[in-house]
Amino acid sequence: MNSQAKQIQQLPPDRVYTLLHTRPEGLGGGEVEERLFHVGRNSFDIPDRWKTLRSFARQFTNFFTILLIVSACICFVAHRLNPGESMNFLGWALFGVALLNAFFSFIQEYRAERAMEALKKFLPQLVQVRRQGQIVRIPAEEIVPGDLLILAEGDKITADARIVEAEGLMVDNAPLTGEASPCVLVHGPSQSRLVESNNIAFAGCTVIRGSGEAVVFATGLRTEFGKLAHLSQEIKRAPSPLEQETAHMVRVLTVIAVSMGFAFFMYGMLTGRPLWVNLVFMMGIIVANVPEGLLPTFTLSLAMGSLRMAKKNVLVKSLNAVEALGAVHVICSDKTGTLTENRLTITELLSPLQGTSYADREQLDLLTLALAASEVRNSEQGLSGDPLDVAVAERLTALGGDLLMLREQIERYFTFDVEKRRSAGIMTFAGKRFFVVKGAFEALVPMMTGVRSRAGDEAANREVLERADEVLRGMAGQGLRVIALACRELREGEGEGEEKDSASLQDVLEKELLLAGFIGIEDPLRQEVPTAVAKCHTAGIEVLLITGDHPDTAQAIARKAGILPQEDDPALLMTGSELERLTEAQLSERLSQGTRVFARTTPEQKMKIVAALKAMEKVVAMTGDGVNDAPALKAADVGIAMGRQGTDVARESAQIILLDDNFASIVAGIEEGRTVFENIKKFTNYVLVSNGPEILPYLLYILLPVPLALNVIQILSIDLGTDIIPSMALGQEPPDPETMNKPPRLRDQGLLTPPLIIHSYLFLGLLEGLWSLGLFFYVLTSGGWHFGEELATADPLYRSAMGIALSTILLMQIGNLVGRRFARRSGLDRTIFKNRLILLGIAVQVVFSWATLYYPPMQKILNTGPVPLSIYFLAWFGIILIFGSDYLRKRYLLARERRAIAD
């Protein structure tokens, strides 16, 4: 194909078909299979055999892992200085933990990547091609050379193709060339180089206007884009804000740990303690302060949350979008297809002055003219194209119109222009040639000279136009989308010459138009939208409606959806023309005063609304489906594109894709996003609690003449052993029924807040530390130990005391785990049995607490010994102590909140 590609731009369209052994009707099934076998799938993925190994090696650059390896090296040095203290065993243990931590992080990252790959399968990129005379939608990977691509506004081009038909076709080649200026494509031959030719559509680029057809000549890595992909390096995913925040939290904790460890190491040296003792102490402080298993659990929680969102028809393209959606304060929603069903039906065809319905024959004539400004195609699913154009064609057919014959009479179609808010066409009708414009009434007024009336055409003066506007407002007030239709008969030869482009010809013809009628289109409100909007209001989330429709239409839909109250208040609605005149500060003021609906807006004005909301410190979610919506989707904190009706450009710009284009799915996604963030707080809180009883023994050891209650291996058995499964379990807790009854969190609200630190370290952590140390000293004193007496590491009494301290912490973490399930409820309810990981986590902690004391192999590893069962039962009482104390705190806070509400 490469030799053909070098000259394909120089050939006329008919020669292109011959060269690629295809035809205007497209390829047949057998030809596709043969070419797919020889050329391969249309994919830009480059196999990377070392990816898995590199991913595993990267885990050893993790901040925690480096710290553990350095600690192990210090232990080896200490062993060289004092071989009799077996510091090499601790060094190998720390090194093994570093390896285990790296392996665990690798497994979690691998699962997260697999989860994101699974999400891609929810919405494969589909393209339209003509095969065997029929337009079909196929996955982009199944395109082969010779396929006939159907290009439309907003499409992402998936293969290099030679244009054979073009109607106002304009593409953005910036992904390939880096130049932002759009390129107009034509179907004629070009003598330029391939990459500079104006008749080639390149893979990776997008259609920003017009339509056309093109024959594919290169796919996959053979395309110009594929060659660049082959040469480029792997692009790393940027860490999400929450990941950065968590990493920052961990760095802070580690700096504190290292500082404490070093400070007390120096204190020990100055007070004459042996070097190896101070090194052990320093290692213990560092390891006790660092939550080694937190970061990989966090990543997995986000990945699992993204999969749960996908099951609710919310596809997230990046992990940071999961928690970002949960923080949303304002949803800026489109109307068509999001709040409504996008099932357009023409219900009214009215005369513009009398406001009465046309007779069937008059309706047929009006729709025939409207067809000239519509673009519809036959596909395997029936008619395809813009939903409005399809509605025109369906109503025309229902009235007895011959669609196939009428389409043959259309000479030229001018694609819908978002900025002009209209489309147009030229057709022969009743032996005469007509130029027809279809679009917003306000957009057509400047080019009108007359208005059709049953009593005879009238001049388009102010009085006549006001009467027409009154008819339109009456239709819009019923919630109908109203389209105006205007036309004029063309003089002989007019519009037949070839202009530079379609836009130029359209500008020349748009004059002296006659307003022929109004078309009223009904698009029913989705049944679930009012409930979803009410749920947003309960959750403290504002909903704005931003639409290009008439103000009365927007107002009627907004009232039905519950966005606006039933009583009329002009201050709650703003038009695009009014919005244009306001500064950002003035717009922010109007938004703070309650403006909720924006009508007759352009995609560019969405950017202005987003900027104003952000200036008000709001987290903004913006929906969109068109090419021109892409900047607003990128500017918003959370860009949400439509999966069904959205363009490829919009989907690429957005962080989230709605698989069902349904507003209610956004609300479900917000609930899931809030749940993910709350779950991360839960397991962060849970993990930090165990740091308290791990740190306290070392502080007592350095300040008082008492034995050390926990060694480093025992601390690691908690942090990277028994705490891991419960952390994962809390990360997968289902949504709390109260989640959507609370306002969204503030933009600057972090994860490691002062209340969380106090609750973790100074309340529950201190409680665990005091109870476990209490039993530790109880065992020691019961066995005859006296204050200030030193004990050998192998002393059975010392081993038993250490065993009960560790066992107590493990058991008390059960009470901590159950209590972390809810912020204000006990956590003990039937739903606990639905989370199997919680049950498994509890089982692991119970078994491990028993094995610590009574299983010889575990005793040898952890340097622990048995205690009487009566003392072991006291350790079990720690579960009730920590759970009960935390529950009393919850009841107190709940009562205080209720009193505050009552006051």
Side-chain angles (χ1 to χ4, degrees), residues 679 682-687 689-690 722-733 759 764 768 809-823 825-828 832 835-846 878-879 882-883 886 890:
N679 286 350
K682 288 175 186 177
F683 66 68
T684 301
N685 192 182
Y686 169 82
V687 167
V689 166
S690 63
T722 56
D723 270 0
I724 292 297
I725 294 177
S727 297
M728 293 170 60
L730 289 171
Q732 297 186 35
E733 277 284 274
H759 181 252
L764 295 185
E768 275 193 16
I809 295 171
L810 296 176
L811 290 172
M812 291 185 79
Q813 281 292 84
I814 296 174
N816 178 26
L817 171 63
V818 176
R820 297 290 61 73
R821 294 185 66 223
F822 300 108
R825 288 158 54 196
S826 70
L828 274 178
I832 196 171
N835 190 335
R836 295 181 180 178
L837 276 179
I838 283 188
L839 301 179
L840 178 61
I842 292 173
V844 167
Q845 287 168 323
V846 169
I879 301 176
I882 191 170
F883 176 80
D886 194 42
K890 291 178 183 180

Side-chain angles (χ1 to χ4, degrees), residues 733-770:
E733 277 284 274
D736 186 336
E738 296 297 314
T739 297
M740 295 299 283
N741 292 334
K742 298 180 289 186
R745 69 180 187 271
L746 299 176
R747 181 182 279 273
D748 59 352
Q749 183 179 338
L751 190 61
L752 196 62
T753 59
L756 186 139
I757 294 173
I758 293 171
H759 181 252
S760 298
Y761 286 96
L762 300 182
F763 180 53
L764 295 185
L766 185 61
L767 196 62
E768 275 193 16
L770 292 175

